[in-house]
Amino acid sequence: SQQGEEDPQALSIQEGENATMNCSYKTSINNLQWYRQNSGRGLVHLILIRSNEREKHSGRLRVTLDTSKKSSSLLITASRAADTASYFCATLTGKGAGGTSYGKLTFGQGTILTVHP
Amino acid sequence: EPEVTQTPSHQVTQMGQEVILRCVPISNHLYFYWYRQILGQKVEFLVSFYNNEISEKSEIFDDQFSVERPDGSNFTLKIRSTKLEDSAMYFCASGVPGLAGTLTDTQYFGPGTRLTVL
């Protein structure tokens, strides 16, 4: 699989249920970020977790990171119809020591989440 | 809250024509990026820009592409001779130095320009 692969590809749940999306990656990372995209619209940054962190919370979002397994999960609790969107994980990498890259994001294919009212 | 803006929101052009996509990054940001998303596919990195020069570019970013920061606020992506396969949503992003000192931390994305090449 490629850097930043999410599963499932699509998730359909009822309002009030929790939604869990997973992401795997291949290379060493500086941090991992989750973004949301409503159909045909821009990317909205949701949450960032650094490589030395294991878990992070923001409102109804909970992100975990397991660098030994090169995986992350995004949990949305008590989902709402308005959470319907595509969710992408993106890993931040740079060129490394001596390089002049200031970080590029590598995105996964995304999970399409549908929350039914 | 400051945000990245992009114009136009939708650009339609004929194959072989030149297009310029414009972005106004967040004013105190130092790092600028272009990404693209072909319909139904993942978002792909094109190029990063810092201190008035390209710091990294992907294999997609060939000689047909160029970027410029012509003044203190705008950041542009030019495609010299568009091809059908350039049809995509193009996102501009900007960021500030992260905790690592050099790598950006959060990148803030604009709403995108949908480019359609006929």
Side-chain angles (χ1 to χ4, degrees):
Chain A
S1 64
Q2 297 175 32
Q3 185 85 342
E5 287 297 309
E6 289 98 332
D7 78 87
Q9 291 186 334
L11 182 60
S12 182
I13 59 174
Q14 294 296 126
E15 223 171 18
E17 293 179 342
N18 295 341
T20 300
M21 290 161 268
N22 303 296
C23 167
S24 61
Y25 58 92
K26 290 197 138 187
T27 65
S28 296
I29 62 172
N30 175 272
N31 64 51
L32 186 145
Q33 306 181 34
W34 286 88
Y35 286 81
R36 166 198 166 121
Q37 184 182 37
N38 286 72
S39 180
R41 307 291 291 277
L43 293 158
V44 175
H45 183 263
L46 295 176
I47 193 165
L48 177 154
I49 186 164
R50 296 194 171 86
S51 58
N52 60 353
E53 296 176 314
R54 292 296 165 257
E55 187 171 313
K56 204 145 179 204
H57 297 253
S58 176
R60 293 185 296 114
L61 305 180
R62 173 178 165 250
V63 171
T64 62
L65 180 66
D66 186 335
T67 52
S68 66
K69 294 181 180 174
K70 291 188 166 60
S71 67
S72 172
S73 68
L74 172 68
L75 168 68
I76 304 174
T77 59
S79 62
R80 305 167 183 163
D83 294 329
T84 295
S86 292
Y87 292 82
F88 298 90
C89 71
T91 52
L92 182 77
T93 56
K95 271 187 183 172
T100 56
S101 167
Y102 296 98
K104 67 176 185 185
L105 289 171
T106 302
F107 284 82
Q109 192 74 28
T111 293
I112 300 171
L113 174 66
T114 304
V115 182
H116 300 281
Chain B
E1 191 174 322
E3 56 184 23
V4 177
T5 59
Q6 290 184 243
T7 54
S9 56
H10 191 187
Q11 172 96 43
V12 181
T13 189
Q14 295 290 325
M15 193 169 56
Q17 294 295 304
E18 175 183 285
V19 293
I20 297 176
L21 310 183
R22 291 184 167 78
C23 168
V24 179
I26 295 173
S27 63
N28 64 334
H29 286 187
L30 301 176
Y31 307 93
F32 313 109
Y33 307 82
W34 284 100
Y35 292 81
R36 79 171 187 191
Q37 184 182 32
I38 294 171
L39 187 65
Q41 297 187 24
K42 58 176 74 176
V43 176
E44 301 172 290
F45 168 79
L46 291 178
V47 66
S48 58
F49 191 87
Y50 170 72
N51 202 25
N52 282 319
E53 60 183 24
I54 290 173
S55 57
E56 188 174 359
K57 58 184 181 180
S58 72
E59 59 274 12
I60 302 168
F61 194 89
D62 62 22
D63 292 344
Q64 292 301 310
F65 291 87
S66 62
V67 289
E68 198 178 30
R69 190 155 159 82
D71 52 43
S73 58
N74 290 285
F75 180 50
T76 61
L77 174 69
K78 182 194 288 188
I79 309 175
R80 263 179 271 282
S81 177
T82 50
K83 308 187 202 64
L84 295 176
E85 53 265 36
D86 293 328
S87 294
M89 182 78 97
Y90 287 81
F91 294 105
C92 171
S94 67
V96 291
L99 295 181
T102 54
L103 290 181
T104 53
D105 214 349
T106 300
Q107 293 181 19
Y108 296 86
F109 282 74
T113 292
R114 181 166 297 284
L115 176 65
T116 302
V117 182
L118 303 175

